[in-house]
Amino acid sequence: MKLEAMKLGRFSDQSRRLAVIDTIFPWKQSGFRYWENFEIFKQRPDTLFFATRLYKDEFPTKVFGLQFFEKLAKNEGITDVYCVFLNHVVSLLGACYLADGSQMPGSNPRDSIQSIIKENNINIHTTLYPGGGLGPNTSNEFLRVVSDNCKTIFTNINEVMSVIPNSIYFPGLINTDFYSYTAKPNTEPIQLTFSAHRAERKGFPLLAQTFNQLDEHFHLNIIGNWENDLHLLTNNNYTFYGLLNPEQIKKVYDKTHVFIYSGTKDQFTLDGFPTTAAADAMSTGCLLVSTNPRNDRFILESGVDYIEVKPEVNSIRNALYGVKENFKQSMEIGRNGSNKIKNHYDSRAIVKSKLGYIFQS
């Protein structure tokens, strides 16, 4: 790897042309992927963007359907492709199936650009985060296929790093300019916010059980497609927002004291830690009160940057009453967490570093 970097270092990275291939895009609710692509364009405006399924959200440059990749790869001189998630990269590589016939969940053989990659000697770079086909039961053989066929592999989890030793650690990224810090008012009720797309691993029943035991000093904001689960709440001191766009979500975060995450460890525990939504909220100064199903200790320190709780009603309830009783100190932890996110998760810094690895300039 170092030798290869030295060889490439002789050439200007301006002779290289990057293409980003996403799945549903441009889609703001894709979270970190949207902001990462936005920042890639800002830092490398000659980048071409493609989607396997075009969406309608705004983006500062044209996004092409994947069917145009072959023509533009030749005409525009694409030398490098970047993509995110395991099932997406194996689809592009035309490696959706192993020799034993097993298929990568969520992959699509029709998205293969393998022949174009070989014909044009294009380098593939990818980020492998939890989800996107990468779960507890994913065969390591798929990771080895990616390792054998990708120039650069970024990740934020041990499962990938243990199988691909030359993978490069990066945490999830946040647009900290957009999710900027806002001082939280010392008012009651204490505003709790839960934001997630509906999934078993998010632990909404546990959240409901806990909130039902809280008093009038707490108010819960619920963001996401949880309309069919609201019957679990007997404490009516909540506001259900449904699905929101980032601009609307930020308004909720700005008035939120505590972002609460009650995810539980089970066979579907696919999220990184903290979740993207949690990191967004932390960036605005919300105190994170969260379980840590992955036992992730890479960056955040419990009691300093956030408050870790067990996936149990008593643990979460006691932590929330602790916030009420020690409000000033709790908001200071929230401020620490915001600084940690800005220093380690900032999209500008991470994209700059990733592009450096990709182009080895």
Side-chain angles (χ1 to χ4, degrees):
M1 185 112 177
K2 292 182 179 179
L3 179 60
E4 195 70 22
M6 292 172 62
K7 290 179 181 178
L8 291 172
R10 295 178 299 164
F11 301 99
S12 167
D13 68 357
Q14 297 305 313
S15 65
R16 310 271 290 280
R17 189 76 182 274
L18 179 64
V20 173
I21 304 178
D22 208 326
T23 51
I24 304 173
F25 190 78
W27 184 33
K28 285 188 175 181
Q29 287 194 351
S30 64
F32 77 89
R33 295 191 346 251
Y34 180 87
W35 296 119
E36 180 173 58
N37 291 339
F38 192 92
E39 188 62 37
I40 287 173
F41 174 74
K42 287 172 62 177
Q43 296 190 26
R44 189 91 183 189
D46 66 337
T47 300
L48 295 173
F49 292 85
F50 298 84
T52 60
R53 175 184 161 193
L54 288 172
Y55 201 66
K56 58 181 175 56
D57 286 345
E58 61 185 345
F59 195 67
T61 191
K62 181 176 177 60
V63 179
F64 299 91
L66 185 60
Q67 68 269 26
F68 296 103
F69 181 79
E70 181 173 11
K71 179 180 179 181
L72 291 174
K74 296 177 180 178
N75 293 348
E76 299 295 329
I78 293 173
T79 60
D80 297 83
V81 164
Y82 173 71
C83 61
V84 176
F85 288 136
L86 180 59
N87 52 16
H88 186 38
V89 68
V90 298
S91 296
L92 298 179
L93 291 170
C96 300
Y97 297 90
L98 298 178
D100 63 5
S102 56
Q103 181 179 8
M104 163 57 58
S107 62
N108 189 345
R110 290 174 294 182
D111 293 337
S112 173
I113 57 171
Q114 180 187 34
S115 60
I116 308 169
I117 292 170
K118 289 185 176 180
E119 180 181 346
N120 296 276
N121 197 28
I122 294 173
N123 300 313
I124 305 294
H125 314 268
T126 190
T127 290
L128 302 181
Y129 285 156
L134 180 57
N137 298 319
T138 300
S139 171
N140 287 340
E141 192 59 34
F142 280 114
L143 294 177
R144 295 187 184 98
V145 168
V146 173
S147 179
D148 291 341
N149 290 278
C150 290
K151 191 77 171 178
T152 318
I153 300 169
F154 306 111
T155 192
N156 67 337
I157 58 170
N158 279 318
E159 291 93 322
V160 173
M161 290 185 283
S162 63
V163 178
I164 309 175
N166 64 339
S167 58
I168 303 162
Y169 174 81
F170 276 101
L173 57 82
I174 301 300
N175 185 341
T176 54
D177 288 339
F178 180 79
Y179 293 105
S180 54
Y181 176 79
T182 302
K184 307 305 176 183
N186 188 357
T187 57
E188 286 197 0
I190 293 174
Q191 297 291 325
L192 313 174
T193 292
F194 175 83
S195 179
H197 286 281
R198 189 178 188 276
E200 178 182 344
R201 65 184 184 273
K202 305 298 183 178
F204 188 86
L206 174 60
L207 172 69
Q209 292 176 50
T210 304
F211 187 66
N212 289 339
Q213 296 189 18
L214 298 183
D215 60 25
E216 70 278 4
H217 296 290
F218 297 88
H219 181 272
L220 176 63
N221 305 295
I222 304 169
I223 301 173
N225 52 337
W226 298 96
E227 54 272 11
N228 294 328
D229 300 85
L230 299 179
H231 66 277
L232 297 174
L233 293 165
T234 57
N235 181 346
N236 293 318
N237 195 20
Y238 71 87
T239 301
F240 174 62
Y241 290 92
L243 295 171
L244 300 178
N245 63 38
E247 288 79 10
Q248 295 167 322
I249 290 175
K250 186 180 184 303
K251 291 179 181 179
V252 179
Y253 289 166
D254 284 345
K255 69 176 184 180
T256 295
H257 299 105
V258 174
F259 184 94
I260 185 166
Y261 182 71
S262 50
T264 55
K265 187 172 184 179
D266 57 28
Q267 61 177 323
F268 303 109
T269 303
L270 303 175
D271 295 312
F273 175 83
T275 65
T276 299
D280 290 343
M282 290 180 71
S283 185
T284 71
C286 301
L287 168 64
L288 176 62
V289 173
S290 177
T291 56
N292 188 349
R294 302 192 64 84
N295 196 28
D296 186 317
R297 310 292 169 190
F298 283 115
I299 292 177
L300 298 185
E301 184 178 349
S302 178
V304 177
D305 307 308
Y306 79 108
I307 295 176
E308 184 173 324
V309 293
K310 297 177 182 179
E312 302 168 356
V313 171
N314 289 343
S315 179
I316 302 173
R317 183 192 61 218
N318 292 343
L320 294 175
Y321 276 117
V323 170
K324 177 181 175 295
E325 294 165 4
N326 303 280
F327 183 82
K328 182 178 179 180
Q329 297 93 321
S330 297
M331 292 305 100
E332 288 176 357
I333 295 175
R335 182 62 184 264
N336 291 341
S338 178
N339 289 334
K340 186 67 70 72
I341 294 295
K342 187 170 184 60
N343 290 334
H344 292 273
Y345 290 70
D346 179 65
S347 59
R348 283 178 296 182
I350 289 178
V351 166
K352 181 179 180 180
S353 187
K354 280 187 173 183
L355 290 174
Y357 278 106
I358 288 171
F359 293 111
Q360 299 285 356
S361 60

